[in-house]
């Protein structure tokens, strides 16, 4: 696994406490508890094999609200909305925002809607690079990306910040962690293979 390889190469690598790894999952469960108090039913956007997405649906059901898990907008049944005046829509920790927006757009095709967001916990956890990785030999990158990374690192150091830099060891949104209570992601390749541009 990637984590074992990192520990083998960088003996002093340290990560967050295991209980903190899936803070996003806990935050979403707390948000669903608050959301179901304000709505008649809930749609969760997430993969069918995602434990965290299934858990969000289960939280709503346990609180007595109808709830459905959908992988994308094509799985939404407008019949679910009969008698529903206020619908909550949420997503698993790794569901792309694009899928949530598509679900909302699908619902808007069948009825007039007003969208409002529930205030929640802002997720701003950042991780600094381990010292051994900061001292590691330069990566073999094409000149353009190498210059952009160097510029970012220099700018961050001048500002006294950490290094909010993502090294894409795997394709975006593909998770290889085996966190308790979290499922593997199973979205279409067109979504999993998307890459953010430097500007994004």
């Amino acid at each position: 696994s990637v984590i074992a390889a990192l520990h083998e190469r960088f003996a002093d690598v340290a990560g967050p406490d295991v209980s903190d790894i899936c803070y996003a999952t806990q935050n979403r469960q707390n948000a669903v508890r608050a959301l179901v108090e304000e709505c008649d039913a809930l749609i969760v956007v997430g993969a069918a094999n995602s434990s965290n997405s299934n858990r969000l649906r289960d939280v709503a059901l346990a609180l007595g609200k109808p709830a459905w898990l959908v992988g994308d907008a094509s799985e939404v049944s407008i019949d679910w909305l009969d008698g529903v005046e206020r619908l909550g829509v949420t997503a698993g920790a790794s569901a792309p925002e694009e899928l949530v927006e598509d679900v909302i757009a699908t619902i808007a095709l069948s009825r007039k809607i007003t969208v409002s967001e529930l205030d929640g916990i802002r997720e701003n956890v950042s991780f600094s690079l381990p010292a051994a990785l900061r001292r590691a030999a330069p990566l073999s990158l094409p000149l353009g990306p190498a210059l952009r990374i160097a510029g970012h690192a220099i700018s961050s150091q001048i500002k006294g910040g950490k290094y909010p830099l993502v090294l894409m060891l795997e394709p975006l949104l593909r998770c290889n962690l085996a966190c308790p209570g979290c499922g593997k992601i199973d979205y279409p390749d067109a979504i999993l293979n998307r890459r953010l541009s430097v500007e994004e």
Side-chain angles (χ1 to χ4, degrees), residues 69-88:
L69 175 63
V70 298
D72 59 36
S74 70
E75 297 178 15
V76 173
S77 171
I78 299 306
D79 294 339
W80 296 341
L81 307 181
D82 289 344
V84 173
E85 290 184 27
R86 297 188 76 178
L87 175 69

Side-chain angles (χ1 to χ4, degrees), residues 9-22:
R9 172 109 189 258
F10 306 103
D12 62 345
V13 69
D17 183 86
V18 173
S19 64
D20 294 336
I21 289 177
C22 282

Side-chain angles (χ1 to χ4, degrees), residues 29 81 124 132 149 170:
Q29 289 179 17
L81 307 181
N124 59 359
I149 290 171
E170 290 189 293

Side-chain angles (χ1 to χ4, degrees), residues 15-64:
D17 183 86
V18 173
S19 64
D20 294 336
I21 289 177
C22 282
Y23 63 90
T25 299
Q26 185 61 54
N27 289 349
R28 279 162 179 73
Q29 289 179 17
N30 293 340
V32 163
R33 287 183 184 92
L35 180 59
V36 297
E37 291 180 13
E38 299 183 23
C39 65
D40 304 315
L42 181 75
I43 292 178
V44 178
V45 181
N49 65 343
S50 165
S51 296
N52 113 47
S53 296
N54 277 285
R55 181 70 179 126
L56 295 177
R57 182 198 55 212
D58 294 345
V59 166
L61 291 171
L63 292 171

